[in-house]
């Protein structure tokens, strides 16, 4: 799975999100900015993002994804 594919999947699933990816296809990091994170804990935010790619992680297609989440006001 490429960084562009991960980014597209996150942006198409998480409402009004802007995603920035770094790293390589197996081990990468994502910075996700979305208003849906307003009022959520960091753990809740991470769970939302990781749920989007859970099948890829389970299959081994994506080995690791480091996640940082923000609301637009936090950026």
């Amino acid at each position: 799975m490429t960084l562009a594919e991960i980014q597209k999947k996150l942006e198409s699933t998480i409402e009004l999100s802007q995603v920035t990816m770094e790293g390589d296809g197996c081990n990468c990091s994502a910075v996700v900015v979305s208003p849906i994170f307003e009022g959520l804990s960091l753990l809740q935010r991470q769970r939302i993002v990781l749920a989007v790619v859970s099948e890829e992680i389970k299959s081994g297609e994506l080995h690791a994804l480091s996640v940082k989440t923000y609301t637009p006001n936090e950026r």
Side-chain angles (χ1 to χ4, degrees):
M1 180 167 234
T2 67
L3 292 180
E5 291 170 331
I6 298 166
Q7 180 176 356
K8 183 178 178 180
K9 186 168 185 173
L10 291 172
E11 288 179 336
S12 67
T13 306
I14 300 172
E15 293 179 43
L16 304 171
S17 65
Q18 296 177 338
V19 179
T20 305
M21 300 295 302
E22 293 182 354
D24 63 41
C26 294
N27 297 290
C28 54
S29 63
V31 175
V32 184
V33 180
S34 176
I36 70 161
F37 297 138
E38 190 72 45
L40 299 179
S41 71
L42 292 177
L43 182 58
Q44 289 170 317
R45 295 175 182 197
Q46 279 198 332
R47 285 180 176 161
I48 289 170
V49 175
L50 293 175
V52 175
V53 292
S54 65
E55 289 302 315
E56 289 80 1
I57 292 171
K58 286 179 189 174
S59 73
E61 186 175 3
L62 178 62
H63 295 166
L65 179 64
S66 171
V67 176
K68 292 183 182 179
T69 57
Y70 301 96
T71 66
N73 296 331
E74 293 172 332
R75 284 302 270 177

